[in-house]
Amino acid sequence: MTFQYTQAALSSLLLCLGISYVYLFPGIDAAEIHTLRGFSIVNAWTFLNKRYDFLRSNFEKTGHNLFAFKIMQHKVIAISGDEARKIFFNNSGLNSTDGAMLLRGGIPVVKDVKADIEEFNLTELNKRLLKIVHRGRFKEIMPTLFNDIHERMEDWGSEGKMSPFKDIYELVFLMTVRMASCQELANDPAMIRKMRDLYWKLEKSATPVGLLFPWFPGTAKKNKEQAINGLYEMLSHYVDLRREADVPSLDAIDVLIADGMDNSSIIQVIMSMVFAGFINTGMISSWVLVYLGTADAWKDRAIAEIQSLIDAHANTTFSEPIHRRLSAIPISAWEDEMPVTESIIRETLRIVGNPTLFRRNFSDDFRVCGKTIDKGAFMTYNIADVHLNERFYSNPLKFDPGRFNVAGEDRNAPFLAWGTGRHPCTGMKTAKLEIKMIVALVLCRYDYKLVDGSGKPVKPPQVNMNDNHQRRPKGEPCFIEYRKVAE
């Protein structure tokens, strides 16, 4: 009894200091899954600060397919390998909503929503999103979206240099807000700028300090609260505006009102949709243009494909602006008749879009690779385990959309960027359409190349895999130097 009491007391004391007693007394209650040594707080801090490097280096050091560490009081099991991956994406007991809760730092959560994030029903959210992003609604709104992009591009002028990780994100943000809210908001440039600034403020609040010590009254906590409150107040005004309108519109807010949702729930859906669409679609659109800025052959093939679509489907005159000709192309053609652009987007996602995903085990204990995953444990997986793995993709860091062609040697390799198994991406088709629209208008309207700050041509930059949201390039920033060739 004395030893048991001492062991428990020592364990509690060391846990407060971030040390596991397993490594002081290796024969006592040794965990079945390899647990990282050292201070738990240091491991958690390193993971939150550099997730990609943390996972890769520890898999290499330990030689295990699974290893465990702690984030606050939560046990997290990092996994890799084929067996673990298939279970991660297909096990019905693994919950992605609760997994995201652990790292919700930058995800906007409205405080007075009836179903807060701890009880948030992802299935219900997806049902709401499908009411907003279905093909029929996108068809109706596509000419307006093209006009939005055109007007923003007019501000660029006939020639110049722009930052894809700023200017392209601004295009995507406007498109996403229009899809997710109402025309009164989307048509107000000043409010769009204010909303965009609040979102970036929210994104930057997801610091390791803010995630590990959410109670700490620091800058991150203050910025997060200010951003969420500001977004709530702004969107609440527009929801009230649409409720008071004499005639409902086809805008997202009206669709959600007609579905019987209260204001707070509508605002939660809009904030979540804008955050996800803005970050992910903006990232991929920017990187597609970056890669094509150094790959003339693929850029020429993409331009030829888009021109073929215009010739085949746009019943418009050549004198009309390019954005109007593009908006006349039917949705079916955008989805089914762009194999070159599809391959370019897919390859960009393979290299760049490698997030660290989370699940929580809400079922009974189960086995992975001969190890036990306890009920309540979190699991984490970075999809670069497949996408940047030479076992699946030859020369994985090379931008080569041809690898997915019928004759490509990597065409049958696993591809996880849009989700798989029980967790496919609800907004995949909408995201693809938005990316194609931006890329098509840029390629048809401008001749451009990728340059450094002094205007010299550069090679494709390396991706900062530890940049959790934007995946900006490593090292010096790059720019797109452009010259308008069509209206």
Side-chain angles (χ1 to χ4, degrees), residues 291-303 447-449:
Y291 281 127
L292 292 182
T294 63
D296 289 342
W298 282 103
K299 183 165 65 172
D300 291 343
R301 289 181 65 183
I303 292 172
D447 180 30
Y448 79 91
K449 59 184 176 181

Side-chain angles (χ1 to χ4, degrees), residues 152 173 188-198 234:
R152 289 299 182 272
F173 188 79
D188 189 332
M191 293 304 290
I192 288 292
R193 286 193 296 272
K194 181 179 178 181
M195 188 175 182
R196 184 194 65 218
D197 291 343
L198 287 170
M234 178 188 297

Side-chain angles (χ1 to χ4, degrees), residues 28-243:
I28 301 173
D29 195 25
E32 192 175 354
I33 295 173
H34 178 85
T35 302
L36 295 184
R37 295 175 179 272
F39 289 93
S40 296
I41 190 67
V42 173
N43 288 330
W45 182 278
T46 307
F47 171 77
L48 294 172
N49 207 34
K50 294 185 176 181
R51 296 177 200 175
Y52 177 81
D53 287 350
F54 175 86
L55 295 176
R56 184 184 60 176
S57 63
N58 280 297
F59 280 125
E60 290 177 355
K61 288 177 185 176
T62 64
H64 293 280
N65 284 344
L66 283 73
F67 67 81
F69 62 102
K70 281 201 170 184
I71 296 180
M72 297 174 286
Q73 76 275 21
H74 301 294
K75 181 178 182 179
V76 180
I77 300 164
I79 65 169
S80 67
D82 295 346
E83 178 188 339
R85 178 185 77 248
K86 292 172 183 176
I87 291 174
F88 183 83
F89 284 106
N90 292 286
N91 189 307
S92 60
L94 295 177
N95 182 282
S96 59
T97 303
D98 216 58
M101 182 194 74
L102 184 61
L103 297 176
R104 73 182 189 183
I107 301 174
V109 179
V110 179
K111 289 183 179 179
D112 61 345
V113 173
K114 291 180 180 178
D116 200 1
I117 195 71
E118 283 81 1
E119 303 173 359
F120 202 64
N121 189 323
L122 188 61
T123 301
E124 287 301 314
L125 174 63
N126 286 337
K127 288 180 181 178
R128 309 289 189 186
L129 294 180
L130 287 173
K131 291 178 180 290
I132 297 173
V133 300
H134 61 82
R135 179 190 273 199
R137 186 164 181 272
F138 203 98
K139 178 182 177 181
E140 293 290 331
I141 204 173
M142 180 175 270
T144 306
L145 292 173
F146 264 119
N147 192 62
D148 287 341
I149 304 172
H150 168 78
E151 289 185 355
R152 289 299 182 272
M153 287 182 176
E154 284 292 282
D155 295 337
W156 297 356
S158 298
E159 61 181 31
K161 189 169 65 174
M162 62 94 167
S163 169
F165 298 95
K166 174 181 178 294
D167 295 281
I168 300 301
Y169 267 79
E170 291 181 0
L171 295 179
V172 173
F173 188 79
L174 175 57
M175 294 173 73
T176 309
V177 170
R178 187 173 291 283
M179 284 291 296
S181 61
C182 63
Q183 50 189 313
E184 288 89 351
L185 173 54
N187 290 341
D188 189 332
M191 293 304 290
I192 288 292
R193 286 193 296 272
K194 181 179 178 181
M195 188 175 182
R196 184 194 65 218
D197 291 343
L198 287 170
Y199 263 89
W200 281 125
K201 188 173 187 177
L202 184 62
E203 188 265 346
K204 291 177 182 178
S205 73
T207 63
V209 171
L211 292 168
L212 287 172
F213 310 108
W215 45 265
F216 182 71
T219 302
K221 182 179 176 63
K222 180 181 177 181
N223 287 344
K224 180 179 178 180
E225 290 175 351
Q226 288 178 347
I228 291 177
N229 291 336
L231 287 167
Y232 183 86
E233 290 175 7
M234 178 188 297
L235 291 172
S236 182
H237 165 73
Y238 287 103
V239 174
D240 288 339
L241 193 68
R242 293 311 311 156
R243 283 195 187 277

Side-chain angles (χ1 to χ4, degrees), residues 142-143 146 306-307 309-310 313-314 316 320-331 334 338 436-445:
M142 180 175 270
F146 264 119
I306 296 162
Q307 189 58 55
L309 246 61
I310 294 173
H313 298 285
T316 56
E320 282 197 296
I322 190 67
H323 73 283
R324 290 185 184 170
R325 283 181 273 162
L326 289 170
S327 67
I329 299 170
I331 296 287
W334 287 98
M338 300 184 73
K436 289 175 181 177
M437 290 169 66
I438 291 172
V439 171
L441 197 48
V442 170
L443 293 183
C444 290
R445 204 172 188 211

